[in-house]
Amino acid sequence: MKNIILLGATGSIGTQTIEVLRGLSDEYRLVSLAFGKNLNKAIEIINEFKPFYVCSELKEHAEILKNLYPSLKVGYGNDGLLECATFEARNNYPTVVVNALVGSLGLKPTVEAIRKGYTIALANKETLVTAGRIVKEEVAKHGVELIPIDSEHSAIFQCLNGENNRNLKRIILTASGGSFRDKTRAELENVTVEEALKHPNWSMGSKITIDSATMMNKGFEVIEAHFLFNVGYEQITTILHRESIIHSMVEFQDTAILAQLGTPDMKVPISYALTYPERQLVSNAKQLDLTEIGILHFEKVDFARFPCLKYAYDAGIIGHSLPTVLNAANEAAVNLFLDGKIKFLDIEKIIYENLEKHELIKNPDLETIIQLDKELKLRIIKSAERSAL
Ligand code: NDP
Ligand code: MG
């Protein structure tokens, strides 16, 4: 038996986690969940899974839930999110916290859940981008497991299973190229939000779909890999692979390369993170038939075409407070783009400008990171509003 805590239950990863849990039956008990504004979907999940604790983003939704379910423990806002992430079921089963929140909002709950000794199944890569060093320190201090859900990192995690890390030479992250992979930079000038939201291979939340179109997602994944697998940035490479069949690869000292393959379906890495070190049937997962696919394509990634990837490498290598700036500037810029307030190419411009003018803070602690993240996002939003006047 395992207790499951699900942060971001109503989102893309959250919904797929729910589907996986349905297939896993009552061995895995959803004890606590958090959602944002989608009250109706949350109610459906509560009726089906009967958790003990629920957290909503808004106070008014928490009040509705309290009236509907008098015996349910209910919280809201940032405090509720921490209560949700550290909820203690009255049993001795191990607890896995699935963090499927979007953005740096996921950082504090991850850290608190680690301090509680819970296993972390991490989809929320922004946690590792903004504060990877601190998260790793907490993981080591509390001896908990950090299992990736991101498909590339799940692939690497699986390829490294049973291997000695000192034999690892290189990590090769595959990238689909996102919605605009076949467009030139000139053609990116006037692309719309609707076009950007059409990912060729994956159906995901809006923020990560935009991150895939700018390739910042791959940049984040480089930083994520650095922290998850303790490898230097010079050992992490990226390769364009438009079919998203090879989810990533690792190369060893003897030149042997191991890859993990499958049809693009997040339920598989989610299920692996929940059932690790076991594997269980994933209902409705499509079996891979390579004869049906026939040909797989690979291309070099061009940093000039995808500058966000280069910014991520630079920020990761310099480290300290720079990855926090990278993440916060990206989050603010993507929100502005989704709200129709800036153009697609302004996203990378805003990130570049903020990285350039940032005065590095050495080894920032958790509070400094949270404060920097908040201030920077506010400043970027305000400045965009001023220039729109
Ligand atoms: P979504 O936008 O689909 O989901 C985000 C979730 O967070 C929703 O449940 C949302 O609630 C909830 N949420 C937002 N604000 C709050 C808040 N203040 N308090 C509590 N809950 C909140 O994102 P995705 O599922 O696509 O992505 C989640 C994470 O996983 C991201 O870090 C992403 O990069 C990563 N990831 C996603 C993949 C995918 O296939 N989607 C693949 C690999 C990684 P509501 O909808 O109710 O407002
Ligand atoms: Mg990924």
Side-chain angles (χ1 to χ4, degrees):
M1 287 286 290
K2 279 183 189 175
N3 297 316
I4 307 295
I5 294 177
L6 178 53
L7 311 176
T10 47
S12 161
I13 292 288
T15 303
Q16 294 177 87
T17 305
I18 292 290
E19 277 176 53
V20 169
L21 284 175
R22 246 178 227 133
L24 292 175
S25 76
D26 46 4
E27 261 180 69
Y28 296 79
R29 176 79 169 91
L30 183 62
V31 294
S32 171
L33 67 90
F35 70 100
K37 297 195 173 73
N38 194 340
L39 181 65
N40 288 340
K41 199 160 183 179
I43 288 176
E44 280 171 26
I45 301 171
I46 296 167
N47 289 341
E48 183 178 352
F49 288 89
K50 307 194 170 29
F52 303 112
Y53 187 96
V54 173
C55 166
S56 62
E57 183 179 347
L58 305 173
K59 190 177 176 194
E60 55 264 40
H61 287 168
E63 274 157 11
I64 294 172
L65 290 175
K66 260 185 220 155
N67 286 332
L68 280 175
Y69 306 98
S71 62
L72 181 69
K73 282 191 181 160
V74 178
Y76 64 90
N78 288 342
D79 291 345
L81 212 45
L82 299 186
E83 271 173 27
C84 178
T86 55
F87 179 78
E88 218 176 299
R90 288 205 195 110
N91 60 41
N92 290 322
Y93 304 130
T95 299
V96 180
V97 178
V98 178
N99 185 343
L101 294 168
V102 67
S104 59
L105 173 72
L107 172 60
K108 211 60 194 290
T110 306
V111 170
E112 290 303 326
I114 294 170
R115 289 177 178 162
K116 191 85 186 174
Y118 291 166
T119 297
I120 309 293
L122 192 70
N124 178 248
K125 62 190 86 183
E126 294 92 341
T127 280
L128 283 179
V129 175
T130 195
R133 183 182 47 83
I134 286 171
V135 171
K136 287 299 296 215
E137 281 168 12
E138 292 288 339
V139 163
K141 191 165 150 197
H142 298 277
V144 304
E145 260 175 317
L146 180 58
I147 306 172
I149 285 183
D150 212 351
S151 59
E152 295 77 359
H153 305 76
S154 175
I156 297 161
F157 188 73
Q158 294 177 56
C159 291
L160 290 176
N161 225 340
E163 296 288 344
N164 195 328
N165 257 30
R166 90 173 161 247
N167 296 325
L168 175 66
K169 189 171 167 205
R170 193 164 61 114
I171 281 176
I172 306 160
L173 291 171
T174 50
S176 70
S179 1
F180 299 143
R181 63 190 180 191
D182 296 319
K183 286 199 189 303
T184 62
R185 284 196 55 85
E187 286 170 335
L188 292 178
E189 196 61 50
N190 290 311
V191 291
T192 64
V193 173
E194 290 69 34
E195 288 169 319
L197 285 176
K198 280 190 202 129
H199 194 286
N201 302 352
W202 301 92
S203 161
M204 311 182 283
S206 48
K207 195 239 173 199
I208 185 176
T209 307
I210 304 301
D211 287 345
S212 300
T214 60
M215 206 54 121
M216 183 54 94
N217 182 52
K218 208 48 56 183
F220 283 176
E221 291 181 356
V222 167
I223 298 175
E224 191 184 2
H226 166 80
F227 287 111
L228 281 172
F229 306 112
N230 297 317
V231 285
Y233 285 99
E234 71 290 352
Q235 287 174 281
I236 307 170
T237 52
T238 57
I239 184 173
L240 276 177
H241 166 46
R242 52 178 55 234
E243 292 86 4
S244 298
I245 295 295
I246 295 185
H247 297 312
S248 275
M249 299 173 254
V250 296
E251 183 181 346
F252 295 99
Q253 300 299 349
D254 58 2
T255 73
I257 290 181
L258 294 192
Q260 188 259 335
L261 286 73
T263 51
D265 184 346
M266 286 308 297
K267 290 200 296 303
V268 179
I270 292 170
S271 175
Y272 189 66
L274 293 181
T275 61
Y276 175 83
E278 300 299 327
R279 289 181 186 268
Q280 299 225 10
L281 182 78
V282 179
S283 44
N284 301 325
K286 189 173 180 288
Q287 250 182 314
L288 174 64
D289 179 355
L290 283 174
T291 60
E292 212 176 80
I293 311 238
I295 297 172
L296 296 177
H297 294 85
F298 304 96
E299 290 164 64
K300 278 210 165 96
V301 183
D302 177 3
F303 278 173
R305 167 66 182 76
F306 296 110
C308 285
L309 179 58
K310 173 84 170 69
Y311 302 158
Y313 267 104
D314 292 346
I317 290 165
I318 294 170
H320 298 288
S321 52
L322 214 53
T324 307
V325 175
L326 178 85
N327 183 67
N330 180 65
E331 227 172 292
V334 169
N335 280 333
L336 287 168
F337 173 68
L338 285 170
D339 289 346
K341 292 186 176 144
I342 60 168
K343 292 168 96 175
F344 182 73
L345 287 177
D346 292 332
I347 299 175
E348 61 184 49
K349 217 182 288 168
I350 289 174
I351 297 164
Y352 179 76
E353 285 166 7
N354 279 281
L355 288 172
E356 278 296 291
K357 68 177 176 218
H358 177 64
E359 283 180 30
L360 204 64
I361 306 165
K362 293 264 166 101
N363 297 320
D365 60 15
L366 188 62
E367 285 317 312
T368 308
I369 287 174
I370 291 170
Q371 198 52 31
L372 174 63
D373 174 76
K374 200 166 136 192
E375 281 171 14
L376 209 62
K377 285 178 188 164
L378 259 178
R379 204 189 314 142
I380 292 168
I381 305 278
K382 280 208 173 125
S383 134
E385 277 167 5
R386 267 199 308 276
S387 44
L389 289 177

